[in-house]
Amino acid sequence: MALYSETVMDHFQHPRNVGEMEDADGIGEVGNAVCGDIMRMYIKVDNGIITDVKFKTFGCGSAIASSSMATEMIKGKPIEEALELSNKAVAQALDGLPAHKLHCSVLAEEAVRAAVKDYYDKNHIAYDPAMFGCDSCAHEHDHAPDGE
Amino acid sequence: MYVYADNAATTSVSKTALEAMLPYFTEEYGNASSLHTPGQRAAEALLKARETVAKAINADAREIYFTGGGSEADNQAILTGAVLGARKGKKHIISTAFEHHAVLHTLEKLEKEGYEVTLLPVHENGVVTAQDVAAAIREDTALVTIMMVNNEIGTVQPIAEIGAVCRERGVLFHTDAVQAVGHLPVDVKALNVDMLSMAGHKFHGPKGVGALYARKGVAVANVIEGGQQERGKRGGTENIPAIVGMAAALEEATANLDHDMAYVTGLREKLIEGLSKIPHSRLNGDREKRNPGTVNFCFEGIEGEGLLLWLDAKGVAASSGSACTSGSLDPSHVLLALGLPHEIAHGSLRLSVDAWNTEEEIDHILQAVPEVVDYLRDMSPVWDELERGVTPHLI
């Protein structure tokens, strides 16, 4: 199918880290069923490192692929690095997404941040609330990388 | 096995249609407007095709205008109604909320030009009634345009009854019969229609060709200005190969209609029975008032695009009302018109089969769909919450 890159199709058909986590340290859920995408991300944190990630996604092929790619990109990384994960980086790692599907990569970025925020909240770790300002409906954002 | 179950989107050109077309690309390439022999041979082919198409819908050859497809025929019919109405000071048009975009977008354009449009709500079973239409007709109603078969869910509208109401009230009536012609009996006199649209590629003819039927006495408005082709109503050299191919395909479909309707209905029923076994699924649209080959299901907890991509990988070509495939983020306007909530409308699947499909193909579909639905539900947080009772099931 020409709609998606081979990498997107690979992550859609063979999603990495799909599932739930019983003892998650942080859980983030973004999107809503009315919009047609929901991502739930679970993280396990040890000494500031994200040691395990799992996700569940309701959404189109690129939403599933974006979730899968985002989990691969943050697994084994320090939390600070995970917070720097941008939607653009997710889309690029997927070898691009169609313009009208870029919101899926935004959702993946937001799911990671929501999971980290939940971890901070649960562990009473202080943070600057401005870091997590971005929690409205992903569709309204214009995060389109240049040239797409 | 790869099963093509998207015949409502388009069909393969039949062998009969292709063979009828081929000479008109090479040996018989004349322009039907030319006076010389090759030109006159093309003109003869055009006339014969016009007679064939007219006969298939019980019309007169002079009532058939060939177009560049179903959308163009819809545009032309609506514009005709608008122009004729405006001459009498009538600028109100009635249609439904679940028409094809060829109709809806044309109506939106007319609204910007000062016309008033009433889009009738559709009942939950995907049908509008003649009573709904009668209640909406006003003194200034210029046109009623209602599709015969809905392209997404396959429900059949009571066109003859609606036509009778329009006749009685003196309102012009058009039906977009793109999904009906070649699949259901279409008799323009029995249906009480003034105008009707069809598209060749929906019944194993070629793409890029269609026809508008306009009853004798209806002064058709031009969409494309040009020469005197189509009695001056559609400029541009006629696409003779495509027109000949469409006529051949329609003649073939009409000859096989009784047999094919029974056969395809059997396939459809088998699909409906099989898919209904999937928990928390629902058939969209009336079970009975349905064209032979179209089935539309919603599966709670999953999104349509993933379903389609997986079905393609498993050897089933299907489509979805899901927006994801159309470049818009909104779910199907058709499913929303039936009153389905957004979260359900996102998970829809349309399978459209026809006489070219086999029982074995239906078995293949019925094996693939439940597997894919289970797989996607398993990774869906929405399904998770439904199963744990956090949110109530809607289906």
Side-chain angles (χ1 to χ4, degrees), chain A residues 1 3-4 9 12-15 18-20 29 32-40 42 55-64 100-101 103 139, chain B residues 301-303 305-310 312-313 323-329 331 342-344 346-347 375-385 388:
Chain A
M1 273 211 182
L3 174 65
Y4 293 130
M9 285 308 290
F12 165 64
Q13 293 196 330
H14 311 283
V18 66
E20 289 168 66
E29 185 170 305
N32 65 67
V34 175
C35 291
D37 308 279
I38 292 184
M39 274 181 209
R40 189 189 294 157
Y42 305 83
F55 81 89
K56 275 202 162 188
T57 290
F58 162 85
C60 58
S62 60
I64 290 167
H100 67 284
K101 297 289 187 179
H103 71 276
H139 297 161
Chain B
I302 61 171
E303 197 276 342
E305 193 207 67
L307 186 59
L308 294 191
L309 292 173
W310 263 114
D312 183 49
C324 278
T325 48
S326 67
S328 140
L329 298 171
H342 279 66
E343 49 269 53
I344 301 295
H346 277 296
Y375 176 80
L376 290 171
R377 279 179 171 172
D378 206 38
M379 71 162 76
S380 164
V382 174
W383 181 249
D384 186 40
E385 290 188 353
R388 286 191 287 120

Coordinates of all heavy atoms in Angstrom, one line a residue, chain A residues 1 3-4 9 12-15 18-20 29 32-40 42 55-64 100-101 103 139, chain B residues 301-303 305-310 312-313 323-329 331 342-344 346-347 375-385 388:
Chain A
M1 N 0.8 -1.2 0.0 CA 0.0 0.0 0.0 C 0.9 1.2 0.0 O 1.8 1.4 0.8 CB -0.9 0.0 1.3 CG -2.2 -0.7 1.0 SD -3.5 0.0 2.0 CE -4.8 -1.1 1.6
L3 N 0.0 4.2 0.8 CA -0.4 5.2 1.8 C 0.6 5.4 2.8 O 1.0 6.5 3.2 CB -1.7 4.8 2.4 CG -2.3 5.6 3.6 CD1 -2.7 7.0 3.2 CD2 -3.5 4.9 4.2
Y4 N 1.2 4.3 3.3 CA 2.2 4.3 4.3 C 3.6 3.8 3.9 O 3.7 2.9 3.0 CB 1.8 3.5 5.5 CG 0.5 4.1 6.2 CD1 -0.5 3.2 6.5 CD2 0.5 5.4 6.6 CE1 -1.7 3.7 7.2 CE2 -0.6 5.9 7.3 CZ -1.7 5.1 7.6 OH -2.8 5.5 8.2
M9 N 4.2 0.3 8.0 CA 3.4 -0.9 7.8 C 4.1 -2.0 8.7 O 3.4 -2.8 9.3 CB 3.5 -1.4 6.4 CG 2.5 -0.6 5.5 SD 0.8 -0.5 6.1 CE 0.3 -2.2 5.9
F12 N 3.0 -1.3 12.2 CA 1.5 -1.6 12.3 C 1.3 -3.1 12.4 O 0.5 -3.5 13.2 CB 0.8 -0.9 11.1 CG -0.6 -1.4 11.0 CD1 -1.6 -1.2 12.0 CD2 -1.0 -2.2 9.9 CE1 -2.9 -1.6 11.9 CE2 -2.3 -2.7 9.8 CZ -3.2 -2.4 10.7
Q13 N 1.9 -3.8 11.5 CA 1.6 -5.2 11.5 C 2.4 -6.0 12.6 O 2.0 -7.1 12.9 CB 2.0 -5.8 10.1 CG 1.0 -5.2 9.1 CD 1.0 -6.0 7.8 OE1 2.0 -6.6 7.4 NE2 -0.1 -6.0 7.1
H14 N 3.5 -5.5 13.0 CA 4.3 -6.2 14.1 C 4.6 -5.2 15.2 O 5.8 -4.8 15.4 CB 5.6 -6.7 13.5 CG 5.4 -7.5 12.2 ND1 4.9 -8.8 12.2 CD2 5.6 -7.2 10.9 CE1 4.8 -9.2 10.9 NE2 5.2 -8.2 10.2
P15 N 3.6 -4.7 15.8 CA 3.8 -3.6 16.8 C 4.7 -4.1 18.0 O 4.6 -5.3 18.4 CB 2.4 -3.3 17.3 CG 1.5 -4.4 17.0 CD 2.2 -5.1 15.7
V18 N 3.5 -4.1 22.6 CA 2.1 -3.9 22.7 C 1.6 -4.7 24.0 O 2.1 -5.8 24.2 CB 1.3 -4.3 21.5 CG1 1.4 -5.8 21.2 CG2 -0.2 -3.9 21.5
G19 N 0.7 -4.2 24.7 CA 0.1 -4.9 25.8 C -0.1 -4.0 27.0 O -0.1 -2.8 26.9
E20 N -0.3 -4.7 28.2 CA -0.5 -3.9 29.4 C 0.6 -4.2 30.4 O 1.4 -5.1 30.2 CB -1.8 -4.4 30.1 CG -3.0 -3.9 29.3 CD -4.3 -4.6 29.8 OE1 -4.7 -4.3 30.9 OE2 -4.9 -5.3 29.0
E29 N -2.7 8.3 29.3 CA -3.7 8.1 28.3 C -4.1 9.4 27.6 O -4.4 10.4 28.3 CB -4.9 7.4 28.8 CG -5.9 7.0 27.7 CD -7.0 6.1 28.2 OE1 -6.7 5.0 28.8 OE2 -8.2 6.4 28.0
N32 N -9.2 10.7 22.4 CA -10.5 10.2 22.8 C -11.2 9.5 21.7 O -10.9 9.7 20.5 CB -11.4 11.4 23.4 CG -11.7 12.4 22.3 OD1 -12.4 12.1 21.4 ND2 -11.1 13.6 22.4
A33 N -12.2 8.7 22.1 CA -12.8 7.8 21.1 C -13.6 8.6 20.1 O -13.8 8.1 18.9 CB -13.7 6.8 21.8
V34 N -14.1 9.7 20.5 CA -14.8 10.5 19.5 C -14.0 11.0 18.3 O -14.3 10.9 17.2 CB -15.5 11.8 20.2 CG1 -16.2 12.7 19.2 CG2 -16.4 11.3 21.3
C35 N -12.7 11.4 18.7 CA -11.8 11.8 17.6 C -11.3 10.5 16.8 O -10.8 10.7 15.7 CB -10.5 12.4 18.3 SG -10.9 14.0 18.9
G36 N -11.4 9.4 17.5 CA -11.0 8.2 16.7 C -9.6 7.7 17.1 O -9.1 6.7 16.5
D37 N -8.9 8.2 18.1 CA -7.6 7.7 18.5 C -7.5 7.8 20.0 O -7.8 8.8 20.6 CB -6.4 8.5 18.0 CG -6.4 8.8 16.6 OD1 -6.0 7.9 15.8 OD2 -6.8 9.9 16.2
I38 N -7.1 6.7 20.6 CA -6.8 6.7 22.1 C -5.5 5.9 22.2 O -5.4 4.8 21.7 CB -7.9 6.1 22.9 CG1 -9.1 6.9 22.9 CG2 -7.4 5.9 24.4 CD1 -10.2 6.4 23.9
M39 N -4.5 6.5 22.9 CA -3.3 5.8 23.2 C -3.1 5.7 24.7 O -3.3 6.7 25.4 CB -2.1 6.6 22.7 CG -1.8 6.2 21.2 SD -0.3 7.2 20.8 CE -0.7 7.3 19.0
R40 N -2.8 4.5 25.2 CA -2.5 4.4 26.6 C -1.1 3.8 26.7 O -0.8 2.8 26.1 CB -3.5 3.4 27.3 CG -3.3 3.4 28.8 CD -4.2 2.3 29.4 NE -5.6 2.6 29.2 CZ -6.5 1.6 29.3 NH1 -6.1 0.3 29.5 NH2 -7.8 1.9 29.1
Y42 N 2.2 2.7 29.2 CA 2.7 2.3 30.5 C 4.2 2.3 30.6 O 4.8 1.8 29.7 CB 2.3 0.8 30.8 CG 0.8 0.4 30.6 CD1 0.3 0.2 29.4 CD2 0.0 0.3 31.8 CE1 -1.0 -0.2 29.2 CE2 -1.3 0.0 31.6 CZ -1.9 -0.3 30.4 OH -3.2 -0.7 30.2
F55 N 2.1 -0.5 25.4 CA 1.1 0.4 25.0 C -0.1 -0.4 24.5 O -0.1 -1.5 24.1 CB 1.6 1.3 23.8 CG 1.5 0.7 22.5 CD1 0.4 0.7 21.7 CD2 2.6 0.0 22.0 CE1 0.4 0.1 20.4 CE2 2.6 -0.6 20.8 CZ 1.5 -0.6 20.0
K56 N -1.3 0.4 24.5 CA -2.5 -0.1 23.9 C -3.1 1.1 23.1 O -3.1 2.2 23.6 CB -3.5 -0.6 24.9 CG -3.3 -2.0 25.4 CD -4.6 -2.6 25.9 CE -4.5 -4.1 25.9 NZ -5.8 -4.7 26.3
T57 N -3.5 0.8 21.9 CA -4.0 1.9 21.1 C -5.2 1.5 20.3 O -5.3 0.4 19.8 CB -2.9 2.4 20.1 OG1 -1.8 3.0 20.8 CG2 -3.4 3.3 19.0
F58 N -6.2 2.5 20.3 CA -7.4 2.4 19.5 C -7.2 3.5 18.5 O -7.0 4.6 18.8 CB -8.6 2.7 20.4 CG -9.8 3.1 19.6 CD1 -10.7 2.2 19.1 CD2 -10.2 4.5 19.4 CE1 -11.9 2.5 18.4 CE2 -11.3 4.8 18.7 CZ -12.2 3.9 18.2
G59 N -7.1 3.1 17.2 CA -6.8 4.1 16.2 C -6.4 3.5 14.9 O -6.3 2.3 14.7
C60 N -6.1 4.3 13.9 CA -5.8 3.9 12.6 C -4.3 3.3 12.6 O -3.6 3.2 13.6 CB -5.9 5.0 11.6 SG -4.9 6.4 12.0
G61 N -4.0 2.8 11.4 CA -2.7 2.2 11.2 C -1.5 3.0 11.7 O -0.6 2.6 12.4
S62 N -1.6 4.3 11.4 CA -0.4 5.2 11.8 C -0.4 5.5 13.3 O 0.6 5.7 13.8 CB -0.5 6.5 11.0 OG -1.6 7.2 11.2
A63 N -1.6 5.4 13.9 CA -1.6 5.6 15.4 C -1.0 4.4 16.0 O -0.2 4.6 17.0 CB -3.1 5.8 15.8
I64 N -1.3 3.2 15.6 CA -0.6 2.0 16.1 C 0.9 2.1 15.9 O 1.7 1.8 16.8 CB -1.3 0.8 15.6 CG1 -2.7 0.7 16.1 CG2 -0.5 -0.5 15.9 CD1 -3.6 -0.4 15.4
H100 N -2.1 14.3 6.8 CA -3.3 14.2 7.6 C -3.2 13.2 8.7 O -4.1 13.0 9.5 CB -4.6 14.0 6.8 CG -4.7 12.7 6.1 ND1 -3.9 12.4 5.0 CD2 -5.4 11.6 6.4 CE1 -4.2 11.1 4.6 NE2 -5.1 10.6 5.5
K101 N -2.0 12.5 8.8 CA -1.8 11.5 9.8 C -0.8 12.0 10.9 O -0.5 11.2 11.8 CB -1.3 10.2 9.2 CG -2.3 9.5 8.3 CD -3.5 9.0 9.1 CE -4.4 8.2 8.2 NZ -5.5 7.6 8.9
H103 N -1.0 14.0 13.2 CA -1.5 14.1 14.6 C -1.3 12.8 15.3 O -1.2 12.8 16.6 CB -3.0 14.4 14.5 CG -3.9 13.3 14.1 ND1 -4.1 13.0 12.8 CD2 -4.6 12.3 14.8 CE1 -4.9 12.0 12.6 NE2 -5.2 11.5 13.8
H139 N -5.5 16.8 17.7 CA -5.9 17.2 16.3 C -5.8 18.7 16.1 O -5.6 19.2 14.9 CB -7.3 16.8 16.0 CG -7.5 15.3 16.1 ND1 -8.7 14.7 16.2 CD2 -6.6 14.3 16.0 CE1 -8.6 13.4 16.2 NE2 -7.3 13.2 16.1
Chain B
G301 N -15.1 -0.8 19.7 CA -13.8 -0.9 20.3 C -12.6 -0.9 19.3 O -11.5 -0.9 19.7
I302 N -12.9 -0.9 18.0 CA -11.8 -0.8 17.1 C -12.1 0.3 16.0 O -13.2 0.8 15.9 CB -11.5 -2.1 16.3 CG1 -12.7 -2.5 15.5 CG2 -11.1 -3.2 17.3 CD1 -12.4 -3.7 14.6
E303 N -11.0 0.7 15.3 CA -11.1 1.8 14.4 C -11.0 1.1 13.0 O -10.3 0.1 12.8 CB -9.9 2.7 14.6 CG -10.1 4.1 14.0 CD -9.6 4.1 12.6 OE1 -8.8 3.2 12.2 OE2 -10.0 5.0 11.9
E305 N -9.7 1.9 9.9 CA -8.6 1.8 9.0 C -7.7 0.6 9.3 O -7.2 -0.1 8.4 CB -7.7 3.1 9.1 CG -6.8 3.2 7.9 CD -5.6 4.0 8.2 OE1 -4.8 3.6 9.0 OE2 -5.4 5.0 7.5
G306 N -7.4 0.4 10.6 CA -6.6 -0.7 11.0 C -7.2 -2.0 10.4 O -6.5 -3.0 10.0
L307 N -8.5 -2.1 10.6 CA -9.3 -3.3 10.1 C -9.0 -3.5 8.6 O -8.7 -4.6 8.1 CB -10.7 -3.0 10.4 CG -11.8 -4.1 10.1 CD1 -11.5 -5.3 10.9 CD2 -13.2 -3.5 10.5
L308 N -9.1 -2.4 7.8 CA -8.9 -2.5 6.4 C -7.5 -2.9 6.0 O -7.3 -3.7 5.1 CB -9.2 -1.1 5.7 CG -10.6 -0.6 5.8 CD1 -10.8 0.5 4.8 CD2 -11.6 -1.7 5.4
L309 N -6.5 -2.3 6.7 CA -5.1 -2.6 6.3 C -4.9 -4.1 6.6 O -4.2 -4.8 5.9 CB -4.2 -1.7 7.1 CG -4.2 -0.2 6.7 CD1 -3.4 0.6 7.7 CD2 -3.7 0.0 5.3
W310 N -5.4 -4.6 7.8 CA -5.1 -6.0 8.1 C -5.9 -6.9 7.2 O -5.4 -8.0 6.8 CB -5.6 -6.3 9.6 CG -4.4 -6.2 10.5 CD1 -4.2 -5.3 11.5 CD2 -3.3 -7.1 10.5 NE1 -3.0 -5.6 12.1 CE2 -2.4 -6.7 11.5 CE3 -2.9 -8.2 9.7 CZ2 -1.2 -7.3 11.8 CZ3 -1.7 -8.9 10.0 CH2 -0.9 -8.4 11.1
D312 N -6.6 -6.4 4.1 CA -5.9 -6.4 2.9 C -4.7 -7.3 3.0 O -4.5 -8.2 2.1 CB -5.3 -4.9 2.6 CG -4.6 -4.9 1.2 OD1 -5.2 -5.4 0.2 OD2 -3.5 -4.3 1.2
A313 N -4.0 -7.3 4.1 CA -2.9 -8.2 4.3 C -3.3 -9.7 4.4 O -2.6 -10.6 4.0 CB -2.1 -7.9 5.6
A323 N -13.1 7.7 8.2 CA -12.5 8.9 7.7 C -11.1 8.8 7.4 O -10.6 9.4 6.5 CB -12.6 9.9 8.8
C324 N -10.4 7.9 8.1 CA -9.0 7.8 8.0 C -8.6 7.6 6.5 O -7.6 8.0 6.1 CB -8.5 6.7 8.9 SG -8.3 7.2 10.5
T325 N -9.4 6.8 5.8 CA -9.1 6.5 4.4 C -9.3 7.7 3.5 O -8.8 7.7 2.4 CB -9.8 5.3 3.9 OG1 -11.2 5.5 4.2 CG2 -9.4 4.0 4.6
S326 N -10.1 8.6 3.9 CA -10.5 9.6 3.0 C -9.8 10.9 3.2 O -10.0 11.9 2.5 CB -12.0 9.9 3.1 OG -12.3 10.5 4.3
G327 N -8.9 10.9 4.1 CA -8.1 12.1 4.3 C -8.7 13.1 5.3 O -8.2 14.2 5.6
S328 N -9.9 12.8 5.8 CA -10.5 13.6 6.8 C -10.5 12.9 8.1 O -10.4 11.7 8.1 CB -12.0 13.9 6.3 OG -12.9 13.9 7.4
L329 N -10.6 13.6 9.2 CA -10.6 13.0 10.5 C -12.0 12.7 11.0 O -12.2 12.1 12.1 CB -9.8 13.8 11.5 CG -8.4 14.0 11.1 CD1 -7.7 15.1 12.0 CD2 -7.6 12.7 11.1
P331 N -15.6 10.9 11.2 CA -16.2 9.6 10.7 C -17.2 9.8 9.7 O -17.6 10.9 9.4 CB -16.8 9.0 12.0 CG -16.9 10.1 13.0 CD -16.0 11.2 12.6
H342 N -20.0 8.9 17.4 CA -18.7 8.9 16.8 C -17.9 7.7 17.0 O -17.2 7.1 16.1 CB -17.9 10.2 17.2 CG -18.3 11.4 16.5 ND1 -19.5 12.0 16.7 CD2 -17.6 12.2 15.7 CE1 -19.6 13.1 15.9 NE2 -18.5 13.3 15.3
E343 N -17.8 7.3 18.3 CA -16.9 6.2 18.7 C -17.3 4.9 18.0 O -16.4 4.0 17.9 CB -16.7 6.1 20.2 CG -18.0 6.0 21.0 CD -18.4 7.4 21.5 OE1 -18.6 8.3 20.6 OE2 -18.7 7.6 22.7
I344 N -18.5 4.7 17.7 CA -19.0 3.5 17.0 C -18.7 3.7 15.5 O -18.2 2.8 14.8 CB -20.5 3.2 17.3 CG1 -20.7 3.0 18.7 CG2 -20.9 2.0 16.5 CD1 -20.1 1.9 19.4
H346 N -16.5 5.1 14.0 CA -15.1 5.0 13.6 C -14.8 3.6 13.2 O -13.8 3.3 12.5 CB -14.2 5.4 14.7 CG -13.9 6.9 14.8 ND1 -13.3 7.6 13.8 CD2 -14.3 7.8 15.7 CE1 -13.2 8.9 14.1 NE2 -13.8 9.0 15.3
G347 N -15.5 2.6 13.7 CA -15.1 1.2 13.5 C -16.0 0.5 12.5 O -16.6 -0.6 12.8
Y375 N -7.9 -9.4 17.0 CA -6.5 -8.9 17.2 C -6.5 -7.4 17.6 O -5.8 -7.0 18.5 CB -5.8 -9.1 15.9 CG -4.4 -8.6 15.9 CD1 -3.3 -9.3 16.5 CD2 -4.1 -7.4 15.3 CE1 -2.0 -8.8 16.5 CE2 -2.8 -6.8 15.3 CZ -1.8 -7.5 15.9 OH -0.5 -7.0 15.9
L376 N -7.3 -6.6 16.8 CA -7.3 -5.2 17.1 C -7.9 -4.9 18.4 O -7.5 -3.9 19.1 CB -8.0 -4.4 16.0 CG -7.2 -4.4 14.6 CD1 -8.1 -3.9 13.5 CD2 -5.9 -3.6 14.8
R377 N -9.0 -5.6 18.8 CA -9.6 -5.4 20.1 C -8.6 -5.7 21.2 O -8.6 -5.0 22.2 CB -10.8 -6.3 20.2 CG -12.0 -5.7 19.5 CD -13.3 -6.6 19.6 NE -14.4 -5.9 19.1 CZ -15.6 -6.5 19.0 NH1 -15.8 -7.7 19.3 NH2 -16.7 -5.7 18.5
D378 N -7.8 -6.7 21.0 CA -6.8 -7.1 22.0 C -5.8 -5.9 22.3 O -5.3 -5.8 23.4 CB -6.1 -8.3 21.5 CG -5.5 -9.1 22.6 OD1 -6.3 -9.2 23.7 OD2 -4.4 -9.6 22.6
M379 N -5.6 -5.1 21.3 CA -4.6 -4.0 21.6 C -5.3 -2.6 21.8 O -4.7 -1.6 21.9 CB -3.6 -3.9 20.5 CG -4.1 -3.4 19.2 SD -2.7 -2.8 18.1 CE -2.0 -4.3 17.6
S380 N -6.7 -2.7 21.9 CA -7.4 -1.4 22.0 C -7.8 -1.1 23.5 O -8.4 -1.9 24.2 CB -8.7 -1.6 21.3 OG -9.6 -0.6 21.6
P381 N -7.3 0.1 24.0 CA -7.7 0.5 25.3 C -9.2 0.7 25.5 O -9.7 0.6 26.6 CB -6.9 1.8 25.5 CG -6.6 2.3 24.2 CD -6.5 1.1 23.3
V382 N -9.9 1.0 24.4 CA -11.3 1.2 24.4 C -12.0 -0.1 24.7 O -12.9 -0.2 25.6 CB -11.8 1.8 23.1 CG1 -13.3 1.9 23.1 CG2 -11.2 3.2 22.8
W383 N -11.6 -1.1 24.0 CA -12.2 -2.4 24.2 C -11.9 -2.9 25.6 O -12.8 -3.5 26.3 CB -11.6 -3.4 23.2 CG -12.2 -4.8 23.3 CD1 -11.5 -5.9 23.7 CD2 -13.5 -5.2 23.0 NE1 -12.4 -7.0 23.7 CE2 -13.6 -6.6 23.2 CE3 -14.6 -4.5 22.5 CZ2 -14.8 -7.3 23.0 CZ3 -15.8 -5.2 22.3 CH2 -15.9 -6.5 22.6
D384 N -10.7 -2.7 26.1 CA -10.3 -3.0 27.4 C -11.3 -2.5 28.4 O -11.8 -3.2 29.3 CB -8.9 -2.4 27.6 CG -8.2 -2.8 28.9 OD1 -8.4 -4.0 29.2 OD2 -7.6 -1.9 29.5
E385 N -11.6 -1.2 28.3 CA -12.5 -0.6 29.3 C -13.9 -1.1 29.1 O -14.6 -1.2 30.1 CB -12.5 1.0 29.1 CG -11.2 1.5 29.5 CD -11.1 3.1 29.6 OE1 -12.1 3.7 29.1 OE2 -10.1 3.6 30.0
R388 N -13.9 -4.5 30.8 CA -13.9 -4.4 32.3 C -15.0 -3.7 32.9 O -15.1 -3.6 34.1 CB -12.5 -3.7 32.7 CG -11.3 -4.6 32.5 CD -10.1 -4.0 33.1 NE -9.6 -2.8 32.4 CZ -9.5 -1.6 32.9 NH1 -9.8 -1.4 34.1 NH2 -9.0 -0.6 32.2

